Amino acid sequence: PLLAAVQVGNLEIVSMLLDAGASATATDELGNNALIYAVRSKSLSLLAKILSTSVDPLQRNKAGETPLHIAQQIGGEVAEFIQ
């Protein structure tokens, strides 16, 4: 549920799930965690919420990408925010 909430950009549900103990480090079948989806959403509020957890911005997915690497590819505020 957390990954789906991040993917659709629902900060209220993301906050509720994290407060209820959902793990931001959990991954999907591609190895993507909540932070990767938050980076891809380009939502600074989602990024802030996910980064407030113990998630590692250097955790690699199965393609070898990290949230930090993806943010650098996107550039702009997203890259500045996650660094």
Side-chain angles (χ1 to χ4, degrees):
L2 178 62
L3 295 180
V6 174
Q7 286 177 302
V8 298
N10 192 325
L11 181 59
E12 183 179 342
I13 297 295
V14 168
S15 296
M16 186 173 48
L17 289 168
L18 289 172
D19 291 346
S23 173
T25 61
T27 61
D28 63 12
E29 65 279 353
L30 300 175
N32 294 322
N33 62 24
L35 186 54
I36 285 181
Y37 286 115
V39 166
R40 289 182 177 154
S41 78
K42 302 177 187 172
S43 167
L44 299 184
S45 56
L46 277 175
L47 279 170
K49 186 63 180 178
I50 300 298
L51 285 169
S52 73
T53 70
S54 62
V55 70
D56 180 3
L58 300 177
Q59 180 180 341
R60 295 185 181 278
N61 64 13
K62 290 184 179 179
E65 303 168 310
T66 67
L68 183 58
H69 178 248
I70 294 167
Q72 289 169 339
Q73 289 177 332
I74 291 171
E77 288 181 328
V78 173
E80 291 173 19
F81 194 84
I82 198 171
Q83 290 182 2

